[in-house]
Structure formats: C-alpha cells, structure tokens
Amino acid sequence: MDEIGGDQLRGHLEALILSVLETGEAHGLEVLRRLEQAGSGALQLKEGSLYPALYRLENAGLIQAVWEAETGGRRGARRRIYHLTEQGRVTLARRRQEWRHFVRTIGAILGAAACPKSA
Amino acid sequence: MRELERYAGQLATAARVGSRRRTAVKAELLAHLLAIYDEELARAGDPWEAVSETKRRFGDPDTLMRELRSAGSFQEWWAFFFEAWEGVMGRWLWLVGATGVLVGMGFVMPAVAYLRRLALLSSGNPGNVQLSVSLLTLGLALALGGAAALLYGAVRLLRSRRA
C-alpha cells in the first residue's frame, strides 16, 4: 500500500488530530505516535507540520493546552499537553458524519466505475 | 543542541504572534526536536547525523514557517503588529522624549523667570500673567511627557539587554 503524505492529508489533519485526542490528552510527539499507530505506518507526516495544525485547532477553541509540570530530563524543554474541548468533540462528531457522507458518495461513484453494470 | 535551539528559534520567528506566545512556540518545537534528536542519537550514535536527521524528520523549514505564519489567530496577529510597531517607535522614543523635555523646558524657563520677576516687583500685566501660567502648564506637560518617554525608552533598553 502506498504511503499517505502531506498533500493527501491536507484538510484532514485537523480532524485526525481531534480523533486521536478523543482517546485522551497528549503532547505533540504523542499525538504523532498515535496518528502513525492508527495509520498502520501508512501516514507519512513531517513531524513539524503537526504544530501549525495544533495551533489552528487551539485558536478555534477545539483543543486546549497546558504546559506539563516537569521537564522529565529533557534539558529544560517543556511540552504542552493538549486535550479536546466540548466544542472539539462536537466538531469531531460533525467531521465524522461529513467524512462518512463523502466516502459513501465518492465510493459509490468510484465503485460503479470499477464494476460497470452489465447491460 | 545549540543548533536545534537556533533552528527552533528560527521557525518560531515565522509565527505572527506576540513575543510571549513566540517564546512558547519555540519551547514547544524545541522539546519535540530534542525528543527526535535523542531517538536519532541512540540510533545513529553520531551527534551531527542526529541533528541532520532531526531536521529532516521535522520537515522543510520554508513550508513549516509558511504554515506557522498562517496559523496565528486574529488576536495574535494584533499582538504581533503592535509589538512590531512598538519596536519601530521604540527606536525614536529617545529622540521624541529628549525633544519633549527640551521644548517643554523652553516654555517653562521663561515663564518661571517672568513669574519670579513679577513676584519680586509685585506688578505686571494680568494678560502676561495668564500667558505665563499657560506656558508653564504646557511646558511642564511637554517636559513630563518627554521625561516619561525617555524613562520608558530606558526601561525597554534594559529589558531587551536582560532578554
């Protein structure tokens, strides 16, 4: 199976982040690990590109972040822990619905093209 | 490590946010970069290779900077522009302050001299007294405003040196 990279993920990354945060709060690296795990290695995401998406979600009020209390030996570098807000949960549910509708519609068209009906 | 810190700083400067938020963005990016670095160092064993691989995994800096630039909120954009404007104005604050003090004292000194002479001689034109008091008030306001600008400029300078 081909890898799914940046361009294909564009427009979906925010929903994917919301989805992995639904399972529990996480810092950036953990969000990335969850995405890679959920994508069974097919997702090829440049790690830095996660942050603009996280900041967009935070600005939209869909997620909130707090600084972690301890640096855990990371040479003073602290991480921010993100969690889903109520608005984020509602948005995630709507995005899931939209995605199902999209897949049903496009799948029906592509499926029809792949298996033409006999005359 | 310095290299990664510089790199995180370079990426964070692209974010059009206030300085406090920019520091937070830099700290967060650095934490992630250091985590990748540790993984890569454990894998490769060579610090230079680890730094290079860390940057590669993190993504193209130009793309990241472009995305970070567009990820800010409306309030953060305002904070960014206000600070940029304040930075430009801050360079002229010394000049504005010094001019204010000089012009203000230029009003205050003759007015004080006239009022002093008036008090000593116990005579004078009431119109001139009124004018002198007005000039004294205006001069004091300008001088105090100028002094405040100078003081603020000095505080800014000390703050930027400490940072």
Side-chain angles (χ1 to χ4, degrees):
Chain A
M1 193 68 182
D2 288 343
E3 290 171 346
I4 302 171
D7 283 341
Q8 287 165 293
L9 281 175
R10 208 173 298 279
H12 302 299
L13 186 57
E14 274 92 347
L16 293 175
I17 293 172
L18 290 178
S19 180
V20 296
L21 282 176
E22 195 184 26
T23 58
E25 60 179 27
H27 52 78
L29 192 60
E30 178 61 25
V31 168
L32 194 91
R33 282 183 185 140
R34 286 185 194 173
L35 281 172
E36 283 174 352
Q37 206 176 355
S40 310
L43 287 186
Q44 287 302 308
L45 196 64
K46 289 293 178 192
E47 303 190 22
S49 64
L50 189 71
Y51 290 94
L54 284 169
Y55 299 150
R56 278 194 295 272
L57 289 169
E58 195 183 4
N59 290 333
L62 305 182
I63 58 173
Q64 276 180 346
V66 287
W67 287 102
E68 68 178 351
E70 288 176 21
T71 60
R74 284 181 306 280
R75 291 167 290 252
R78 286 200 303 161
R79 300 182 295 202
R80 292 176 88 213
I81 312 291
Y82 293 91
H83 67 267
L84 214 54
T85 62
E86 202 43 52
Q87 200 186 338
R89 285 181 203 284
V90 172
T91 305
L92 177 61
R94 199 186 64 236
R95 292 291 298 267
R96 276 195 176 126
Q97 217 169 0
E98 285 170 2
W99 175 250
R100 283 190 200 108
H101 176 66
F102 178 82
V103 168
R104 244 194 334 264
T105 309
I106 302 300
I109 296 165
L110 292 181
C115 314
K117 285 177 189 171
S118 52
Chain B
M1 230 52 54
R2 286 258 175 230
E3 174 67 19
L4 290 180
E5 205 174 329
R6 253 199 309 274
Y7 188 62
Q10 185 195 343
L11 292 174
T13 50
R16 287 190 173 160
V17 292
S19 55
R20 194 177 290 180
R21 176 79 171 136
R22 191 175 303 120
T23 307
V25 168
K26 182 187 168 184
E28 188 174 26
L29 296 183
L30 182 62
H32 193 129
L33 284 165
L34 288 173
I36 305 176
Y37 174 80
D38 286 343
E39 278 180 22
E40 292 301 327
L41 188 64
R43 195 183 55 80
D46 175 28
W48 291 110
E49 198 184 322
V51 167
S52 154
E53 191 58 19
T54 298
K55 287 182 174 177
R56 192 197 62 75
R57 273 177 58 179
F58 210 63
D60 172 46
D62 291 335
T63 310
L64 277 177
M65 284 164 88
R66 203 170 44 245
E67 287 184 10
L68 281 168
R69 204 171 292 139
S70 61
S73 69
F74 183 67
Q75 291 95 321
E76 285 169 348
W77 269 72
W78 266 112
F80 170 77
F81 280 116
F82 179 74
E83 279 182 16
W85 176 79
E86 194 204 9
V88 173
M89 289 307 288
R91 284 181 218 145
W92 297 98
L93 219 52
W94 293 92
L95 190 65
V96 172
T99 309
V101 170
L102 285 174
V103 173
M105 291 315 281
F107 286 144
V108 169
M109 297 310 275
V112 167
Y114 179 77
L115 291 171
R116 187 169 165 267
R117 203 168 60 236
L118 207 66
L120 288 175
L121 297 174
S122 304
S123 67
N125 184 348
N128 283 352
V129 174
Q130 215 170 11
L131 180 68
S132 296
V133 171
S134 302
L135 282 177
L136 186 66
T137 311
L138 178 69
L140 279 173
L142 276 172
L144 285 174
L150 275 173
L151 189 70
Y152 182 63
V155 169
R156 267 178 57 93
L157 187 74
L158 284 174
R159 220 185 275 163
S160 65
R161 280 199 181 165
R162 203 177 293 166

